[in-house]
Structure formats: C-alpha cells, structure tokens
C-alpha cells in the first residue's frame, strides 16, 4: 500500500517510492538520504500538522507537513 | 608537494569544527565570503616550517548549490586547494556523494573518516583499507572529540591525490556509492546508548516539549547562578576594594567640580564614588560592562555553547515549528532568537539561515523589538530586580506578548506564506571542552572589543551633551511624549539618547533618576523596544536593505509609543 509520509504511524517502516516537487526540493531530499528505494522509518509527528520526523540511514530528519505529503512511501499493512 | 591552502569540507554536522580546532592554533578569523553574507572560519596550521591556511568551509551536501552557504562552498572549491573531506563514518552512504563530486572536480583529496568511535556502539564495521582502494585516495579514521587519528591525518596530508573521475549523473553516482558501501561496510546489531534514548525522547512531542521547557528553565537558572556568583564574589569586591580607593585618590587630584572630574569620575554621591550612579567614564562606564554585564555574557555563552555542541538546538527548532508558523516563520527561526538573547548582532546575522525575504524581515523585526540582549537583561535584573522579581517578570512578559502579537499581525499583513522546515537532526554528541572554550573565548573577546569602547564613548558623549546643555534642549522637545504619554521625568531623555549606542548603559542611566517602580518598568520596556543598538542597526541595514530597515524602524517607534502608554495606564 502506498501512502504519504504524514499517514505513516510512528515506528512504522516503509520504502520511499516517489517524491513530488521541484528539482531543488527533490535534490535536497536526495542528498539528505531520502530517495526512491530507501528504507524510511517514521519517528514522530508533531501536533497540529507539525513537522514529521523520520529516520533514514541512522539519521533523523525533520520535514514540514506540506513537504511530507509529497513524499510517498510503500508500507505493509 | 607544497601545501598552501587546505579546505575542510563535508556535510553539515559531521564534526568539521572539532577537527578544525584540532588542526589550527588559537588564532582564528571569522569573515564573510566576499560579496556574500555567508560566514566562514579560517586559521593556520603548522607542518614543519610551513604554515598553510586552513578554511572551515560551510557544510554542504552537494556541489550543486541549493542555498547561499552551499553556493559559497562551491565557489571555494573553484578557487582550489587541498581538500580534507570529512565524512561521518556512521553515515557513509550519504556522505560519499560529496566525495565523488569532489573527485570528479579533480580536487586533491584526503578523506577523514570522522566519528570513528561512534561506529562501534552503532554496530557499524568499515573496512578502511578496502574503502581506500575503492576511492583511490587516503582514508584515515578520526575522532575529532578525542583527537584520535588527527596526527596520522596531518602526517599523510602529502599523500592527498587527484583522481579526475569522469563526470557522471546523479543516479550513476548513487549506484556507484551503493556498490562501494556494500563492499566495505558491515552492519551488526546496535546497542542503544543512553544518549540515543534521550534523542528519541527529546524529539517526540509528548516528552520533547516538557524536556524543552525543563532545559530552558535550567539553562536560565544556571546562567543566573553563575552570573550572580561571579558578580558577588569576584567583580564587586574587585571594583569595591581595589578600584574604588584608586578612583577616590584620582578624583581628589583632578579637583572637585572640574570638567575632567565630571567626565572621568562623575557626580560624587555623599562625597563618594557610586558605581551605579556617578556616571563618569572610569566609574559607571567601566563598572556596567565589566562588573554587571560581562559575568552574564560569560555564563550565557558558556551554556549556549554547550547546548549548541550537544546538538540540542535543531530539536528545539523542530519542537517550536508549530508556534513559529503562526508568526510567519518556521522552526529554525528560533535560532536567531536564541542567539539574539546573547547579543542582537549575531542574532541579526543568523537571520541569514532563513531563505525568503518575508521570513527574514519578520524574524529580524521581531528579534530587534522583542528580544532583549543579555547585556540589557543583566541590567534590568540588576536595576528593576531591586524593586522585586515581580517587576522584572512584568518587563519580560510584556516583551514576550509583544513578540507573539507582532508575529501574528505581521503574518496576517504581509503577503506570502510561512515556509516549511527541512532540517537534519544530528545525534547528540558530548561537547568537546576545548572547542566550547575556544568559542566562548571568541564571543567574550568580541563583546569586550565591540561593547566596551561604545559604552565608554556613550558615557563620554552624554557627559559632554550635559555640559553643553544639549540634553536639556532634547528634554524640552520630548517632554510631551516622555511626561505626558509615558509618565517619565524629562531627564529620562538622556537614557533614550544613549540607548541608540548601547542598551545596557542606557538602562543603567535610569538608576540615578530616582524613578518610581512603575516608571522604572515603563522606562526599561520602552528602552528595549524603541530601537536596537547602533551595532545591530548597521547589521539590519546590511541584511535587510535600507527599505525594509526603515519599515522595521517605523514599526519599532509605533510599538514603543503604544507600549509605553499602555503600561503607564495599566500599572
């Protein structure tokens, strides 16, 4: 099942499938380790559409809510 | 090979600065890259007889710039030099992207595999020999924290090699990296350390917010404890027992009532020098910056440096993101605010991390109006605190409410939306004492070099204005506002005049006026709001441009007028 990052549960792990957005945005995420076929784990999500924190390669990244909705992830449910 | 220039390059948060301070001596220079507002640090190291320059290049993920700091990093690469590419060993894959780009650029390269000690408990095993073969350049495991591997790094600098790899596309590079990592790295079970557990707790909202409040509370408590301790046990005795007798003798030599005595020593209160009220260059002029402000500056920057190096601030930024969105900013804008609490100048400089003009304008305006610097805070605590802690709280609470209100309004009024946060949260790392002390020293000497002359100048300036009766003229003009609207005596004008130069000494000038508690609260609040000090103002003009700075200025004047009237009516 493919969902966006905001729909993942804390602690859930999935595989990045697609990132929608401008080249700069995609490239920045790529260089931070978020790119298709990478394993991604949701760490936490903050109240009231706050930032989503995820872990990729041992490293945590905080992504704004709107950006997180443009990152699609495949999860097993 | 003769080495002239060494560039330290790597992703953000790989411990570049720790290695930088291991390689270079005490003398480091922070400067702006020509034509930009991006700062970088440079120093010199010693290899035998040579003293090559070492540049701590702003952290970057790629050589295709996505922000100003990265742009500067790229331009530094174009200028050439030997590159020490610092890699986070716990995050090989992502870090190697920059390495490949540097090799494709044909830079002479040597790799420092930093955070080496961290790999062990994270269950990461890296075959260094094999990585060296794959990359074709020397790879040295290092640990900036303990200094492990630094000597070997220096010894092998000469082995740095150019590779001139053919240019390849993004996906080719990632594919290549995948192969390299697969070949050299083995992952085994990782043991969670105490710090890692804390990492998780401090980023989850339910536990993170209470932890953040606790940390902020403790930080301020410690800052006050150390600050007050230094004042009470060191600086007050120093001034009272050593400096005072000297001044009294000097005063007698100058002669009672002479111009020089008036300027240097100031008014004698009951025939004695009073450091708080005499207002001479050598009395109050020295006492305020050194005995009242410096102790707080010291303790604030000590705690801030520890929190910075621990890696706590990005977490605070993420936790604050929600609140900041309502003010038209994203969470990272809390960094200029926190730095502004130390001194508004670095606070204003830090608005550079914000990319959009709207965001920068809001952050700079809010900070300049509602964030008092540590010098000012110290003076408010010292002066208003004598009337009771409640009144200090009123001043700071007023400023905080102003911050929130103005943010809400500006966010509504200005076109555009709040940008979103996208930031790496580095793992907690034990601060390296050496690096913390170095940073503290740079900030303290910066304060003494910049603030002390301005304070002395300010006191001199006001004394001369008094003598020439110019202050009386200003007081006459501004009486309607001062007395009519704010309920202050007209003599308070001298504090407002000096406030353009320095806020600490300006608050200090309210001391000798025999103000009522209410007047003191109104005076200190208005002084905090109406104008930032001249040094901050210059930075604002540079960062925002004249037009936006004028807008900010008019907002300040209006807000100062209103808040003064309001406090005068309510209290």
């Amino acid at each position: 099942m493919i969902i966006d990052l905001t729909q993942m549960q804390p602690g859930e792990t999935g595989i990045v499938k697609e990132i929608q957005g401008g080249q700069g945005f995609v490239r920045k995420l790529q260089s931070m380790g978020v790119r298709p076929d990478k394993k991604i784990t949701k760490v936490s999500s903050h109240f009231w559409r706050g930032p989503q924190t995820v872990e990729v390669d041992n490293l945590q990244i905080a992504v704004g809510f709107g950006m997180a909705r443009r990152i699609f992830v495949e999860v097993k449910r | 090979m003769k080495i002239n220039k060494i560039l330290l390059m790597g992703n953000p948060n790989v411990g570049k600065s720790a290695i930088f301070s291991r390689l270079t001596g005490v003398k480091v220079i922070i400067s702006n890259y020509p034509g930009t507002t991006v700062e970088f640090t440079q120093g010199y190291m010693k290899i035998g007889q040579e003293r090559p320059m070492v540049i701590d290049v702003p952290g970057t993920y790629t050589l295709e710039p996505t922000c100003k700091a990265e742009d500067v990093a790229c331009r530094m690469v174009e200028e050439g030099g030997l590159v020490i590419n610092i890699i986070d060993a716990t995050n090989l894959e992502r870090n190697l992207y920059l390495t490949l780009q540097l090799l494709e650029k044909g830079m002479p390269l040597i790799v420092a595999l930093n955070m080496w000690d961290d790999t062990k408990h994270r269950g990461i095993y890296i075959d260094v020999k094999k990585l060296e073969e794959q990359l074709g350049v020397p790879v040295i495991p290092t640990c900036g924290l303990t200094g492990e591997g630094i000597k070997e790094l220096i010894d092998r600098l000469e082995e740095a090699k150019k590779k001139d790899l053919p240019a390849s596309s993004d996906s080719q590079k990632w594919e290549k990296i995948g192969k390299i990592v697969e070949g050299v790295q083995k992952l085994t079970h990782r043991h969670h350390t105490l710090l890692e557990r804390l990492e998780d707790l401090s980023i989850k909202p339910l536990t993170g917010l209470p932890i953040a409040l606790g940390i902020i509370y403790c930080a301020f408590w410690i800052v006050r404890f150390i600050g007050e301790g230094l004042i009470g046990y060191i600086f007050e005795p120093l001034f009272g027992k050593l400096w005072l007798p000297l001044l009294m003798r000097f005063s007698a030599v100058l002669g009672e009532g002479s111009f020089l005595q008036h300027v240097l020593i100031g008014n004698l209160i009951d025939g004695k020098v009073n450091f708080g009220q005499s207002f001479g260059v050598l009395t109050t002029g020295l006492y305020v910056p050194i005995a009242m402000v410096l102790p707080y500056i010291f303790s604030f920057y000590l705690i801030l440096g520890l929190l910075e190096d621990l890696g706590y601030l990005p977490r605070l930024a993420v936790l604050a993101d929600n609140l900041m969105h309502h003010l038209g900013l994203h969470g990272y804008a809390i960094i200029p605010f926190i730095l502004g609490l130390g001194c508004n100048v670095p606070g204003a400089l830090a608005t550079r991390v914000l990319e959009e003009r709207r965001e920068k304008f809001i952050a700079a305006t809010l900070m300049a109006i509602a964030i008092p610097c540590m010098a000012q805070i110290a003076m408010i605590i010292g002066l208003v605190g004598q009337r009771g802690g409640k009144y200090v709280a009123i001043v700071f609470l007023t400023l905080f409410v102003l911050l929130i209100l103005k943010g809400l309004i500006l966010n509504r009024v200005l076109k555009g939306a709040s940008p979103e946060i996208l930031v790496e949260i580095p793992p907690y790392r034990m601060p390296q004492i050496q690096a913390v002390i170095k940073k503290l020293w740079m900030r303290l000497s910066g304060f003494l070099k910049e603030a002390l002359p301005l304070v002395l100048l300010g006191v001199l300036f006001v004394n001369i204005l008094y003598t020439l009766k110019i202050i009386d003229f200003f007081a006459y003009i501004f009486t309607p506002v001062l007395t009519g609207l704010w309920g202050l005596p007209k003599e308070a004008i001298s504090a407002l005049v000096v406030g353009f130069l320095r806020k600490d000494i300006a608050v200090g000038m309210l001391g000798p006026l025999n103000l009522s508690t209410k007047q003191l609260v109104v005076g200190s609040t208005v002084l905090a709001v109406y104008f930032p000090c001249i040094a901050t103002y210059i930075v604002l003009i540079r960062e925002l441009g004249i037009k936006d700075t004028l807008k900010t200025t008019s907002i300040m004047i209006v807000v100062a007028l209103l808040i003064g009237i309001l406090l005068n009516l309510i209290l």
Side-chain angles (χ1 to χ4, degrees), chain B residues 348-388:
Chain B
L349 289 173
T351 56
R352 286 168 187 170
V353 299
L354 309 172
E355 294 287 313
E356 284 170 43
R357 182 171 161 217
R358 171 186 193 263
E359 205 186 354
K360 245 176 124 167
F361 175 76
I362 297 179
T365 307
L366 295 188
M367 191 211 57
I369 298 183
I371 307 276
C373 65
M374 195 39 69
Q376 204 175 355
I377 295 173
M379 291 304 290
I380 291 175
I381 292 175
L383 205 67
V384 185
Q386 291 167 3
R387 312 288 174 95

Side-chain angles (χ1 to χ4, degrees), chain B residues 96-109 133-137 161-169 172-173 176-177 180:
Chain B
L96 282 178
Y97 185 77
L98 181 68
T99 312
L100 286 191
Q101 282 194 318
L102 285 168
L103 286 174
E104 285 180 7
K105 276 258 180 240
M107 304 296 288
L109 198 77
E133 281 166 26
Q134 295 269 343
L135 292 175
V137 296
K161 262 191 231 138
K162 270 190 198 179
K163 287 290 290 179
D164 281 320
L165 291 183
S168 59
S169 73
Q172 284 171 319
K173 274 199 264 296
K176 188 169 176 188
I177 291 168
I180 296 177

